[in-house]
Structures are given as C-alpha cells and as structure tokens.
Amino acid sequence: MASGSKTVIIAALTGNLLIAVTKFVAAAFTGSAAMMAEGIHSTVDTGNQGLLLYGMKRAKRPPDTKFPFGYGKEIYFWSFMVAVLIFAVGSGISIYEGVNRLLHPHPVESPLINYIVLGLAMLFEGAAWFVAAKEFNRVKGKWGVFEAVRRGKDPGAFLVLFEDSAAMLGLVVAFAALLAGQLTGIEIFDGIASICIGIILAITAVWLAIETKGLLIGEAANQHVVRDIRDVVSTHDAVARVNEVLTMHVGPNFILVNISVRFAGGLTGEQIQTEIERMDRDIKARCENVKRIFIEAERSADRPSPGDDKRANDSGEPDDAKPAQ
C-alpha cells in the first residue's frame, strides 16, 4: 500500500510541476486571472506532494526512546498540513485574484494560448488522476468512495486523488470562463472563474482536514479488525471472557492494541503468560497491521470480586459483542 501511494504521489508531483510552469507562462502572456489561479493551484499541489513524500520518509524512522511506537503519525501530520496549505494558499490567493479582477476587469489577451495550455493541463492532470484513481480503487476494495475515505488509514491513498479531482474541476471552470468571456465580451467571467476555483479548493481542503484530523489525534482500527482480534482471543480455551479491545493507528500500517482478558480459573502465572504469548502470535498472524499488543489479565473467573460484572458492563463494548461466560 505504501509503495502504491508513493507511486501515485510521484506521478502527481511530476504532472503538477509541468502544468504549473505552462499555466504561469500562459498567464504572463494573456493576463488571465483564472489562468493565474490555476497556476497557483498547480504550484500548491506540487508543494503538497513534496510534503507527502517528506512525511512518508519521516514516518519510516524506527522507534526510539522519545517515540517508542515509531514516527508513523508523521504522515498524518503532513497530510493535515497539506489540507491547511490548500485552504490558506491555494484557495486564499485564488479568491483574492478573482476579487481583484472583478474590481479591475480587463480583457484576456491571446486566448488561444490559454486554450492550448488548458488542453495540455487536462492531459497531464488526467494522466495523474488516472494513476491515483487506479490505486484508490485497488485499496478501497468493496467499499464505496466516501466509505473508503472515511475508513481509510493511509491519507496518501485518497488525498492525491481528491487533489487531482479538484484540479480537473478547476480546469473545466477555467475553460468555461475563458470561452464565455470570448463569446460575450464580458470581462468579469475571468474573475468569477478564479473565485470559483478558490471555492473548490476551500471545500476540498476542509474535507481533507476533517478526514485526516481523526488519524492525527489517534483513530481506532476499523471495526472488522477489532472483531477479528476479539474472535482470535475468544477461541483460546484459557479465556473466560474478552472485555475491552482498544486499538489505535500509530501509522497507516501500524496498529497498537490493548486487550482486557478474564482468564479461566485454575491457571498458574506461567500458563497465563504462555497463553498471552500465543494470543500475540495468533493476532499478528490474522491482522497483518497489528504490530504491538498489550494484554491485561483480569481476575480469574473462579475468583470474582465485587463489582466485576459492573466493570464488564461499563467497559465501553456493547453487551452483544461479548462472548457469554
């Protein structure tokens, strides 16, 4: 998954860099605010992909005493920064350019240049979008698009796709405004297009920020992973009851797990330790992204203490999710 995301990001970075150069050249020759906004958009996207690659590299650093679970969340931080940059720089400057052009309109010169550049941009952007969409479809599996984004733990798998989708929509808006201005002679279409592009970027940025925020602050693993962990532990004869199964993504491919287990009565400390080691191996074999597991052994079933039932019911797990004793 990480390799696929990296390929998508490199493809998008290369395409956006080429597009940004051509758009700025066209804006310089024609004086189009919409084309300038598109150039800014592509420049921001290029920088964003650079930040994602930087975040992926930083996330690979091994654990140390300061960060005992590694640096996997770096990719979440830099993905959030990408969303902030899209909103603050891309959207802000595009809207500013549009408002400025509405207040001081002037005709777009040499529109043919803009048409050529927009056509090339659609070609480059379309190729990058195709690569991103192909990888996203591979990762999302049977889920729908919105569900895959909500459940996804690797922002690189969907962030680039939505950036490229916003870019394609922005190109359509710029093309429509250029054509409308040329056919009607109304100069404000150029400024309106720039504002629309800014709004598209703002909506994209807010959505991406919402999706990456949960990962940044510590989002749980998907429910099917939690169910698999619970099922694995429940199959052990030494387990009388599985209480809490707490998970957190420390990175796209790193899940931290904490399990509260009530063991059957009559087990020695050594036997419990052996069972815990078996559970650790079985869970990691079933769930490949589970890297660290902590198992808390509760009081044995034949020695209940007052309040045991209450603690079980208050554990935060629905009663129907717990195996019967």
Side-chain angles (χ1 to χ4, degrees):
M1 186 183 297
S3 177
S5 297
K6 187 174 182 180
T7 301
V8 169
I9 294 170
I10 292 174
L13 187 150
T14 304
N16 280 314
L17 183 60
L18 294 172
I19 294 167
V21 172
T22 55
K23 286 176 180 176
F24 279 128
V25 170
F29 276 100
T30 63
S32 170
M35 191 57 66
M36 178 62 72
E38 276 297 304
I40 294 167
H41 182 176
S42 295
T43 301
V44 171
D45 283 353
T46 303
N48 289 344
Q49 272 98 55
L51 287 178
L52 287 177
L53 289 174
Y54 177 73
M56 291 177 71
K57 182 179 179 181
R58 297 273 297 178
K60 290 181 179 179
R61 290 182 296 167
D64 54 32
T65 54
K66 190 173 182 180
F67 293 93
F69 297 112
Y71 292 80
K73 283 196 175 186
E74 284 246 17
I75 186 63
Y76 298 152
F77 170 78
W78 291 109
S79 297
F80 188 80
M81 289 304 299
V82 163
V84 172
L85 286 174
I86 293 175
F87 184 86
V89 181
S91 176
I93 295 179
S94 296
I95 292 175
Y96 171 80
E97 285 289 331
V99 171
N100 185 57
R101 190 52 53 91
L102 287 179
L103 296 176
H104 308 94
H106 63 74
V108 175
E109 301 174 2
S110 305
L112 180 60
I113 296 177
N114 279 348
Y115 286 124
I116 294 172
V117 170
L118 286 173
L120 291 173
M122 286 181 179
L123 181 63
F124 294 141
E125 199 73 67
W129 183 90
F130 178 78
V131 174
K134 185 177 179 181
E135 174 64 16
F136 180 76
N137 286 331
R138 184 185 70 82
V139 172
K140 78 181 183 68
K142 64 181 181 179
W143 294 334
V145 173
F146 295 104
E147 186 179 13
V149 173
R150 183 175 60 84
R151 296 192 181 203
K153 308 303 180 182
D154 182 5
F158 61 82
L159 196 149
V160 174
L161 176 63
F162 284 94
E163 271 192 341
D164 289 346
S165 298
M168 290 293 289
L169 185 57
L171 289 171
V172 172
V173 170
F175 183 89
L178 181 63
L179 183 61
Q182 187 178 7
L183 293 177
T184 64
I186 300 176
E187 300 170 355
I188 63 171
F189 278 116
D190 190 44
I192 292 174
S194 183
I195 293 173
C196 288
I197 292 169
I199 292 172
I200 291 170
L201 290 174
I203 293 172
T204 304
V206 170
W207 189 21
L208 292 176
I210 291 172
E211 293 301 330
T212 55
K213 182 198 72 172
L215 296 169
L216 183 61
I217 63 178
E219 192 170 289
N222 287 319
Q223 282 303 305
H224 71 89
V225 177
V226 177
R227 285 196 299 269
D228 286 347
I229 294 171
R230 185 178 288 277
D231 289 345
V232 169
V233 176
S234 299
T235 58
H236 287 249
D237 294 335
V239 174
R241 182 178 183 132
V242 183
N243 291 324
E244 290 183 309
V245 178
L246 306 178
T247 62
M248 183 175 71
H249 266 271
V250 183
N253 303 309
F254 189 132
I255 300 175
L256 175 67
V257 180
N258 189 82
I259 309 170
S260 174
V261 177
R262 179 181 294 178
F263 286 94
L267 296 176
T268 66
E270 184 177 350
Q271 288 174 321
I272 290 176
Q273 182 61 38
T274 300
E275 286 298 322
I276 288 176
E277 292 172 358
R278 284 182 55 211
M279 289 179 200
D280 186 285
R281 289 195 302 270
D282 292 347
I283 292 171
K284 289 177 179 176
R286 176 90 170 260
C287 308
E288 62 179 355
N289 288 334
V290 173
K291 306 301 182 185
R292 294 294 299 274
I293 303 171
F294 297 91
I295 299 176
E296 177 186 359
E298 290 196 352
R299 186 182 297 272
S300 298
D302 63 342
R303 290 184 298 159
S305 63
D308 269 358
D309 291 337
K310 183 179 186 304
R311 283 200 302 273
N313 291 332
D314 291 344
S315 63
E317 295 290 336
D319 288 340
D320 59 357
K322 303 170 188 172
Q325 293 190 54

